[in-house]
């Protein structure tokens, strides 16, 4: 059904910016670098974990860990009531390049040795131009330093096997990660061309490279599609669509009575158990240091947590046009239908009736539609950040996401309208406070002058 008015100017602008952000963020390191640039441009000051923090009320700051996780915050003044947090993740499933990557095939081809990062869908990686990005760590005098690298051209391909050589290919194929997924790099013999190329691209001497974190990425750029531009498709929508929307809302928000915290963590796709993941102390450390730097006591910190709200924002499954039966029978989230609130009785998602209700109240205030996701009762779903992060910082948390298809493909599909919806709700979240004292009653509060 056509809906010309549906794909409006505001969505067009947000989507253009989102697609540019995705195109220039082939890895979590690049996503964080791009977020840093946006924050610097907006006047945010950089803090380092290894230096003492002196903070001023009203000012904005950011801090990174491992260059792949980032937390930005703005504190109104010493009397802030709590933390208003949106957390997303910077990583996406991919193929990671191993050390000594070159494998020669009969002196006629060189392919690269890779391993799986996260729960990727293999098939979409085949038969399309790929390239390499990540970081190299180089020797500097007595130490080491990091350089971002992105070989920004079509470089590699993982060729599929012809149907003539596997007549049963369309009846289901079991991919072998060590055999099927190795990308073709060049013709001829293995002569160390790969590391030479990476050194050149990173602007360093090959002999100075001590180690690398390099990933394959899909070269296909993001696009808008559908009869009336209803959909967007791009790599890494899970979860940079949420991370980007969170940052846009954060930058647009008016300071409220709470500390606004934009949080992007790494390694969600491999269980979050790293120093820069949701299971780490990163968020807790930052909230603690903010509290202390503002001259507040531990008692005030714990009171603030009781009066805080966290939105764990990680993309959600839309109803699939070819597989509508794969979803819950009565809760049917669709692309362009608004933000998806995720529930699970076993609390794989942290949403409960209170955090769900508070989030719905936020959406209603800015006229943003929301939908609800449950797994089919006979299907195991995925997991996300919210419940993992709760073991470090326990506060009212809701799990949400934007509806998408083909999650963990290297080219995913989402709705054209939904990014702008999340920007609006993020802005509202970061401008508001969820005031409570633990007795089960909460009040959403905005700074004076804003409509109630
Ligand atoms: Co995700």
């Amino acid at each position: 059904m056509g809906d010309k008015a549906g794909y409006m100017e505001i969505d067009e602008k947000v989507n253009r910016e989102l697609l540019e952000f995705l195109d220039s963020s082939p890895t979590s390191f690049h996503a964080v670098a791009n977020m840093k640039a946006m924050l610097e441009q907006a006047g945010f000051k950089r803090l380092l974990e290894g230096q003492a923090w002196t903070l001023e009320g009203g000012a904005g700051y950011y801090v990174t860990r491992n260059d792949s996780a980032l937390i930005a915050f703005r504190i109104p003044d010493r009397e802030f009531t709590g933390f208003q947090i949106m957390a997303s993740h910077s990583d996406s499933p991919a193929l990671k390049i191993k050390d000594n990557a070159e494998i020669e095939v009969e002196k006629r081809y060189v392919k690269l040795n890779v391993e799986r990062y996260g729960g990727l869908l293999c098939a979409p990686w085949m038969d399309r131009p790929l390239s390499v990005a990540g970081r190299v760590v180089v020797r500097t005098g007595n130490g080491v330093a990091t350089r971002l690298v992105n070989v920004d051209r079509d470089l590699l391909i993982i060729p599929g096997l012809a149907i003539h050589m596997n007549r049963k290919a369309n009846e289901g194929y079991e991919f072998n990660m060590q055999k099927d997924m190795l990308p073709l790099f060049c013709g001829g013999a293995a002569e160390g061309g790969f590391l030479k190329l990476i050194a050149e691209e990173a602007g360093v001497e090959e002999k100075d490279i001590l180690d690398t974190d390099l990933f394959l990425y899909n070269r296909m750029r993001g696009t808008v599609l559908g009869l009336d531009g209803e959909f967007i498709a791009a790599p890494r929508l899970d979860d940079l669509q949420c991370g980007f929307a969170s940052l846009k809302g954060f930058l647009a928000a008016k300071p409220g009575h709470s500390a606004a915290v934009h949080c992007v963590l790494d390694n969600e796709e491999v269980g979050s158990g790293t120093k820069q993941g949701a299971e780490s102390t990163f968020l807790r450390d930052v909230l603690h240091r903010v509290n202390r730097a503002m001259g507040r006591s531990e008692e005030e910190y714990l009171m603030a947590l009781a009066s805080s709200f966290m939105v764990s924002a990680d993309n959600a499954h839309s109803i699939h046009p070819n597989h509508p039966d794969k979803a819950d029978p009565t809760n049917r989230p669709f692309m362009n239908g608004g933000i998806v609130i995720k529930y699970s009785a076993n609390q794989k998602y942290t949403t409960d009736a209170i955090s769900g209700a508070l989030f719905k109240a936020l959406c209603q205030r800015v006229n943003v539609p929301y939908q609800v996701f449950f797994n089919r009762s006979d299907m195991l779903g995925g997991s996300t950040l919210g419940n993992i992060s709760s073991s470090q910082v326990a506060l009212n948390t809701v799990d949400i996401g934007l509806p998408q298809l083909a999650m963990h493909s290297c080219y995913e599909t989402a709705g054209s309208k939904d990014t702008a919806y999340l920007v609006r709700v993020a802005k509202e979240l970061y401008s508001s406070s969820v005031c409570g004292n633990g007795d089960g009653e909460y009040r959403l509060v905005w700074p004076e002058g804003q409509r109630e």
Side-chain angles (χ1 to χ4, degrees):
M1 235 205 291
D3 175 15
K4 296 265 186 228
Y7 186 44
M8 309 237 275
E9 244 171 87
I10 176 152
D11 300 320
E12 208 179 317
K13 184 169 175 289
V14 170
N15 285 331
R16 210 181 322 113
E17 289 176 7
L18 168 67
L19 297 182
E20 274 170 29
F21 178 80
L22 292 170
D23 285 339
S24 59
S25 303
T27 70
S28 57
F29 307 112
H30 292 83
V32 164
N34 288 327
M35 285 187 176
K36 275 166 71 174
M38 288 164 76
L39 286 158
E40 292 274 345
Q41 195 167 19
F44 281 72
K45 297 187 192 92
R46 181 174 191 190
L47 296 168
L48 296 171
E49 287 197 285
Q51 287 178 359
W53 292 7
T54 315
L55 307 181
E56 276 167 52
Y61 302 89
Y62 72 90
V63 57
T64 60
R65 186 176 277 187
N66 191 47
D67 296 323
S68 63
L70 176 145
I71 297 178
F73 57 87
R74 200 191 280 114
I75 326 135
D77 55 48
R78 196 197 168 279
E79 301 307 323
F80 70 89
T81 57
F83 301 99
Q84 297 283 96
I85 305 166
M86 188 175 284
S88 52
H89 66 89
S90 59
D91 62 323
S92 302
L95 292 162
K96 188 167 191 228
I97 298 177
K98 294 184 189 171
D99 242 18
N100 303 307
E102 295 189 8
I103 300 177
E104 198 176 88
V105 182
E106 298 176 31
K107 298 208 182 322
R108 300 302 296 270
Y109 303 134
V110 179
K111 59 186 180 181
L112 299 182
N113 195 4
V114 297
E115 63 178 332
R116 174 189 8 215
Y117 175 85
L120 58 81
L121 281 168
C122 288
W125 285 86
M126 321 288 294
D127 304 314
R128 57 169 74 233
L130 305 171
S131 194
V132 177
R135 67 177 175 186
V136 299
V137 177
V138 294
R139 192 192 331 264
T140 55
N142 290 330
V144 298
T146 305
R147 304 271 183 277
L148 274 187
V149 57
N150 177 7
V151 182
D152 193 7
R153 66 177 170 90
D154 297 348
L155 179 71
L156 303 153
I157 195 159
I158 306 173
L161 186 63
I163 185 92
H164 316 81
M165 295 172 187
N166 178 13
R167 290 284 176 189
K168 295 209 160 141
N170 292 332
E171 291 158 37
Y173 184 73
E174 200 176 317
F175 288 89
N176 179 315
M177 294 306 298
Q178 191 58 64
K179 189 172 171 61
D180 292 309
M181 302 309 293
L182 308 189
L184 177 63
F185 170 55
C186 66
E191 289 168 344
F194 179 66
L195 215 53
K196 194 172 294 166
L197 170 73
I198 295 301
E200 245 166 58
E201 292 289 338
V204 300
E205 295 283 326
E206 195 186 327
K207 64 173 171 41
D208 290 336
I209 296 182
L210 291 175
D211 218 328
T212 63
D213 285 314
L214 297 170
F215 296 86
L216 302 192
Y217 71 93
N218 178 9
R219 289 284 295 164
M220 188 178 270
R221 299 177 73 83
T223 191
V224 176
L225 43 83
L227 176 63
D228 296 309
E230 298 94 326
F231 309 113
I232 57 172
R236 296 175 299 281
L237 286 170
D238 170 19
D239 186 31
L240 293 183
Q241 190 181 13
C242 286
F244 176 81
S246 171
L247 182 53
K248 292 295 283 185
F250 177 78
L251 292 174
K254 297 189 190 78
H257 300 301
S258 281
V261 183
H262 160 76
C263 175
V264 184
L265 299 163
D266 192 8
N267 303 123
E268 191 277 336
E269 302 295 357
V270 292
S272 294
T274 59
K275 66 185 183 302
Q276 59 277 0
E279 204 176 60
S280 78
T281 57
F282 187 30
L283 178 61
R284 188 181 70 183
D285 293 347
V286 169
L287 300 188
H288 251 119
R289 291 179 80 160
V290 167
N291 190 72
R292 196 172 322 127
M294 294 306 285
R296 291 157 59 103
S297 66
E298 183 67 12
E299 183 76 356
E300 284 172 303
Y301 174 72
L302 295 173
M303 285 162 62
L305 285 193
S307 208
S308 294
F309 191 52
M310 175 148 118
V311 177
S312 159
D314 191 4
N315 268 4
H317 303 295
S318 169
I319 299 294
H320 194 290
N322 298 341
H323 303 278
D325 54 312
K326 290 286 185 190
D328 183 69
T330 63
N331 297 290
R332 313 286 292 167
F334 283 93
M335 291 181 288
N336 295 319
I339 297 171
V340 181
I341 307 173
K342 307 182 202 176
Y343 292 84
S344 141
N346 295 336
Q347 296 291 287
K348 279 265 222 182
Y349 303 126
T350 50
T351 313
D352 56 26
I354 286 183
S355 62
L358 286 167
F359 188 76
K360 288 173 185 173
L362 268 179
C363 290
Q364 285 172 359
R365 227 181 102 93
V366 282
N367 292 320
V368 164
Y370 55 81
Q371 340 180 52
V372 164
F373 175 87
F374 282 80
N375 286 303
R376 268 183 70 111
S377 302
D378 53 4
M379 278 171 79
L380 223 61
S383 63
T384 181
L385 306 157
N387 63 339
I388 295 174
S389 145
S390 290
S391 62
Q392 295 291 342
V393 183
L395 38 80
N396 271 322
T397 304
V398 65
D399 266 296
I400 62 118
L402 296 177
Q404 69 159 92
L405 299 174
M407 190 177 285
H408 294 190
S409 167
C410 65
Y411 206 67
E412 300 169 324
T413 298
S416 292
K417 291 179 173 185
D418 295 319
T419 313
Y421 287 149
L422 187 55
V423 174
R424 240 152 80 195
V425 171
K427 180 179 168 193
E428 200 66 4
L429 168 81
Y430 289 130
S431 309
S432 65
S433 299
V434 170
C435 294
N437 57 23
D439 66 356
E441 299 207 4
Y442 295 90
R443 249 170 0 106
L444 287 165
V445 180
W446 284 267
E448 246 159 81
Q450 283 198 49
R451 76 208 137 70
E452 286 290 325

